[in-house]
Amino acid sequence: MSKVLTNKLLGIFGGTFDPIHNGHLNPVIEAAKEIGINQVILIPCHIPPHKEQPSTAPKLRLKMVELACEHNPLFSVDDRELKKNSHSYTIETLKSLRADYPEKSLCFFMGSDAFSKLNSWHKWRELMDYAHIIVCQRDSRNVVLSAEIEGLLKKFRTKNNRELLDKNHGYIFEAATSELEVSSTDVRDKIKSGETWAQHVPESVYNFITTHRLYQ
Ligand code: ATP
């Protein structure tokens, strides 16, 4: 696809990022390349609806996200969820992004584990009215899809990345990304137990965590 066309695609990737790790970054980089997306906004969430409140202060999680992507022009960081002192519902974030970028095809990235639980998200059926969903592979052997999610896939799946340009929302694209077995929980646990963990995060994030003695 030409650059002019791909500029219409805007990637969005949200997470707790406590801390951000290579399992967040690498699949999104691969999927963006596969599809032809050249801009992805990373959005750290404030209060995740499905998890406990992260123990790491929002400004530290934000800083790590900024460090992780400072040398990669694919990424930029958006702190709109951190500015709201309430639950970070993706539907609200997508509505505000749609207002900011009325012309863009919004491509919302998620790991396949998160996608398999999409039907537990607030107003989940409405998400497709605001964005496409790009699914990256994560622990795919163990991901079980409910009938509701199978139905969603049947209705909205496309295997053709060009279709993501035809409409600015409403398709699901399953990217052929490599699987990276790492989670923020793993990184936090390894730091606590003194195991090696540097290989799971960008060097700048490693330096920040060690300097500030996070997750000890
Ligand atoms: P935690 O261990 O604290 O629950 P996490 O590592 O699962 O965190 P989140 O910040 O909750 O990370 O995840 C945000 C998004 O990143 C989700 O869509 C999730 O599926 C995706 N993701 C996280 N780790 C991976 C991975 N290793 N491979 C692919 N996607 C991932």
Side-chain angles (χ1 to χ4, degrees), residues 20 25 42 64-77 202 204:
I20 191 160
L25 297 165
L42 299 174
M64 289 188 277
V65 176
E66 286 169 348
L67 288 169
C69 61
E70 66 184 348
H71 299 303
N72 188 336
L74 175 67
F75 293 118
S76 57
V77 187
S204 53

Side-chain angles (χ1 to χ4, degrees), residues 58-179:
K59 67 170 193 240
L60 296 176
R61 290 186 289 115
L62 175 66
K63 184 69 194 165
M64 289 188 277
V65 176
E66 286 169 348
L67 288 169
C69 61
E70 66 184 348
H71 299 303
N72 188 336
L74 175 67
F75 293 118
S76 57
V77 187
D78 183 309
D79 64 353
R80 73 184 63 210
E81 290 193 356
L82 296 178
K83 283 184 184 147
K84 283 172 68 180
N85 200 14
S86 57
H87 274 109
S88 303
Y89 290 119
T90 297
I91 187 69
E92 303 304 335
T93 305
L94 291 182
K95 280 183 188 173
S96 79
L97 286 163
R98 174 52 71 213
D100 290 351
Y101 303 99
E103 305 300 330
K104 297 270 186 186
S105 276
L106 299 181
C107 296
F108 182 73
F109 287 82
M110 22 190 351
S112 44
D113 60 314
F115 177 69
S116 73
K117 300 188 195 100
L118 191 69
N119 51 343
S120 65
W121 290 26
H122 184 56
K123 297 191 176 167
W124 65 281
R125 287 183 196 278
E126 287 180 35
L127 299 172
M128 303 301 303
D129 296 334
Y130 293 91
H132 301 303
I133 292 180
I134 312 300
V135 182
C136 297
Q137 303 312 311
R138 183 186 197 187
D139 196 22
S140 53
R141 268 171 308 157
N142 296 317
V143 167
V144 179
L145 299 184
S146 64
E148 264 180 330
I149 296 297
E150 286 284 9
L152 194 76
L153 260 180
K154 213 168 160 191
K155 195 163 167 199
F156 296 114
R157 176 191 270 150
T158 181
K159 291 183 187 293
N160 180 355
N161 58 351
R162 288 190 152 266
E163 287 200 302
L164 304 176
L165 292 162
D166 295 345
K167 294 198 297 171
N168 62 13
H169 64 94
Y171 282 116
I172 300 171
F173 183 90
E174 292 164 293
T177 53
S178 332
E179 302 216 5

Side-chain angles (χ1 to χ4, degrees), residues 182-194:
V182 58
S183 67
S184 298
T185 308
D186 289 342
V187 174
R188 295 193 302 269
D189 288 349
K190 284 186 168 155
I191 295 173
K192 260 195 209 103
S193 63

Side-chain angles (χ1 to χ4, degrees), residues 14-17 43-49 53-54 58 61 78 81-82 88:
T16 316
F17 302 136
I43 307 186
C45 76
H46 188 195
I47 306 175
Q53 175 71 9
R61 290 186 289 115
D78 183 309
E81 290 193 356
L82 296 178
S88 303

